[in-house]
Amino acid sequence: MKRRLAGESRCKDAALRYYLLTEESAAGPLYGVQAELGGEQAAVSGITTSRQRVQGLLDGLIRGQVTPVALRDVVDDWLLA
């Protein structure tokens, strides 16, 4: 799985970093997201095959300053929308 920094925001005095995850599958690339804050991290892989959709998700995560603790819930809500 590949990981590429997609953006960064601040949470108090710490850097909140967001990554685009890419893994290869028989159907083509699958995209996911990861958030890191200090020593805390959370990832959700294999969300979509659409680079455009996952980029929209990442933009929303960055804008909303979503922390690793809330990442799974936010992604679940995004998938249901």
Side-chain angles (χ1 to χ4, degrees):
M1 182 175 308
K2 295 178 186 175
R3 181 176 96 145
R4 184 179 64 84
L5 183 64
E8 189 174 298
S9 63
R10 302 294 298 171
C11 182
K12 298 188 181 186
D13 291 333
L16 183 52
R17 292 186 178 91
Y18 301 91
Y19 296 90
L20 170 66
L21 303 177
T22 307
E23 61 184 293
E24 292 302 321
S25 74
L30 282 172
Y31 299 104
V33 295
Q34 182 175 2
E36 286 185 353
L37 176 62
E40 216 175 307
Q41 67 176 4
V44 183
S45 59
I47 298 170
T48 182
T49 57
S50 170
R51 174 74 184 261
Q52 185 177 1
R53 287 201 68 212
V54 80
Q55 188 59 55
L57 172 60
L58 280 163
D59 292 344
L61 295 174
I62 294 165
R63 237 184 354 268
Q65 297 178 319
V66 175
T67 63
V69 171
L71 182 68
R72 169 68 65 180
D73 290 333
V74 172
V75 170
D76 286 345
D77 289 346
W78 179 83
L79 287 169
L80 294 174

